[in-house]
Amino acid sequence: MTEPINVVVTGAAGQIAYSLLYQIAAGTVFGPQQSINLRLLDIPPMMKVLDGVVMELEDLALPLLREVLPTAEPAKAFENVAAAFLVGAMPRKEGMERKDLLAANVEIFKVQGEALDKYARKDVRVLVVGNPANTNALICSHYAPSIPKENFTAMTRLDQNRAQAALAARLNVQVDKVKNVIIWGNHSSTQYPDAAHATVELSSGVKTVPSEINDNEWLNNTFVETIQKRGAAVIAARKMSSAMSAAKAAGDHMRDWWFGTKPGEWVSMGVVSDGSYGIPKDIVFSFPVTIKDKRYEIVQNLPINNVAKSKLDITSKELEEERAEANNVLKK
């Protein structure tokens, strides 16, 4: 067993955290040898619920889990943390405009950014799950200037997992046989799920997904729209947003960031743009990345056709608009 690391989960009394906490405590995220001190942050009215979550964590009887601290105080939650899952955010309510949602979230992620800056390890890995995740990650980074910008990421792994599963179903193969599907852009309905560079492992060898599906109409329209609208479809069916699948994706994202990607494979992460693929700098944009030694690099020089370029332009424009709205709030 290694020395415990401190891991914070915000919105810890919520649905996504409920599935995520087990993964972290059981060793599926940080490995079967890494002991964990959990810091559970939520708002004061949720402390009673958190007490129940703590009881359940105790009752799991997991050897890797050393300490559990439920708290409503960011200073305690972010103390010396090595990894942060920022799940808690203001949900969009009926009649709420996007600028209203951003205004509410600016305040939340300002407080958490400042707490990370003041109390967390400087090499902390921060994953923003709470929506609008890309712009929330940008805000959080803004308020934590002593932590490198590349240490703040937004989750598009749920979209990647959805896309991978949809392609595997279409090809009638196990989901792990499909590799290198990409989610470009925002975790919103403007995202661009891209199968152009994806591969599938068949008994006859590794093939390209587009050649095996052989249906550009399906790939460019039905597939893209299905993934873009999948979250809404889950809400329509379940009357609640994705929780189990979102928690699994958060664990996948952090595990790959911690341990790295396999040779020849990449994953999608929302990261601060460096201008790759002509994307405006300093927005948090989902790119394909490879990871080694806890550092990611954007995959370069993938051919992008005109259709894909137009999709990237749409989603980057939305992110620029969100950034502008967030900056307006910050100036008030």
Side-chain angles (χ1 to χ4, degrees):
M1 293 280 182
T2 55
E3 278 295 302
I5 57 170
N6 295 343
V7 178
V8 63
V9 177
T10 73
Q15 280 205 93
I16 293 174
Y18 193 72
S19 288
L20 176 60
L21 290 169
Y22 172 76
Q23 291 181 66
I24 297 169
T28 60
V29 178
F30 299 101
Q33 301 301 316
Q34 180 61 66
S35 50
I36 301 286
N37 295 328
L38 273 175
R39 306 284 183 254
L40 311 182
L41 180 67
D42 216 311
I43 56 176
M46 300 306 291
M47 287 302 106
K48 190 74 178 166
V49 176
L50 263 192
D51 287 342
V53 174
V54 172
M55 287 183 224
E56 287 212 69
L57 285 165
E58 291 168 351
D59 295 349
L60 289 169
L62 292 167
L64 291 176
L65 186 57
R66 298 299 177 81
E67 294 175 13
V68 182
L69 175 68
T71 182
E73 298 177 45
K76 290 181 179 177
F78 289 97
E79 179 66 38
N80 199 33
V81 292
F85 294 85
L86 305 188
V87 180
M90 170 69 78
R92 190 166 184 167
K93 294 172 182 167
E94 200 171 339
M96 185 183 268
E97 299 212 7
R98 197 172 69 188
K99 65 175 183 290
D100 301 323
L101 183 66
L102 272 166
N105 279 299
V106 164
E107 193 53 43
I108 292 168
F109 286 88
K110 174 177 186 243
V111 169
Q112 294 181 3
E114 289 171 344
L116 281 160
D117 195 56
K118 195 167 181 182
Y119 302 109
R121 285 168 41 162
K122 296 307 171 195
D123 63 351
V124 63
R125 264 53 183 183
V126 181
L127 167 58
V128 178
V129 177
N131 288 319
N134 296 57
T135 300
N136 286 345
L138 192 70
I139 293 162
C140 199
S141 166
H142 175 81
Y143 284 103
S146 69
I147 296 169
K149 281 195 185 317
E150 59 266 27
N151 288 27
F152 290 84
T153 62
M155 188 174 86
T156 53
R157 185 58 172 267
L158 176 53
D159 308 300
Q160 179 193 310
N161 287 350
R162 287 167 170 164
Q164 194 176 335
L167 293 171
R170 179 78 177 189
L171 291 160
N172 197 27
V173 297
Q174 282 178 208
V175 73
D176 60 342
K177 302 298 184 189
V178 176
K179 313 283 188 192
N180 293 354
V181 61
I182 300 168
I183 304 297
W184 300 96
N186 199 3
H187 175 62
S188 77
S189 60
T190 68
Q191 64 173 266
Y192 177 45
D194 180 7
H197 312 285
T199 61
V200 57
E201 185 185 331
L202 302 170
S203 56
S204 54
V206 176
K207 311 288 186 183
T208 69
V209 163
S211 66
E212 288 304 307
I213 288 181
N214 195 26
D215 185 343
N216 285 338
E217 169 65 25
W218 186 86
L219 276 173
N220 292 333
N221 295 297
T222 305
F223 165 69
V224 170
E225 289 174 18
T226 299
I227 305 310
Q228 287 176 335
K229 296 175 180 176
R230 184 68 164 186
V234 171
I235 292 171
R238 195 171 168 258
K239 310 306 178 203
M240 290 185 282
S241 60
S242 307
M244 180 167 49
S245 55
K248 161 67 164 49
D252 289 347
H253 176 120
M254 190 65 79
R255 185 189 62 248
D256 285 343
W257 199 357
W258 216 255
F259 292 106
T261 48
K262 294 174 184 172
E265 294 183 21
W266 58 67
V267 292
S268 298
M269 288 170 59
V271 303
V272 177
S273 171
D274 61 359
S276 293
Y277 296 98
I279 300 305
K281 289 186 177 182
D282 298 324
I283 56 175
V284 172
F285 192 93
S286 182
F287 291 97
V289 300
T290 56
I291 308 166
K292 186 179 180 182
D293 299 327
K294 296 191 175 74
R295 299 181 70 86
Y296 58 77
E297 288 189 7
I298 296 170
V299 177
Q300 298 294 337
N301 302 318
L302 293 173
I304 304 291
N305 64 29
N306 288 337
V307 172
K309 182 72 176 77
S310 69
K311 304 276 192 189
L312 267 60
D313 288 345
I314 290 166
T315 195
S316 63
K317 185 171 183 289
E318 181 181 60
L319 282 165
E320 286 188 291
E321 289 169 359
E322 283 188 16
R323 180 180 62 186
E325 287 170 9
N327 284 337
N328 286 336
V329 175
L330 293 173
K331 288 171 188 167
K332 286 178 183 174

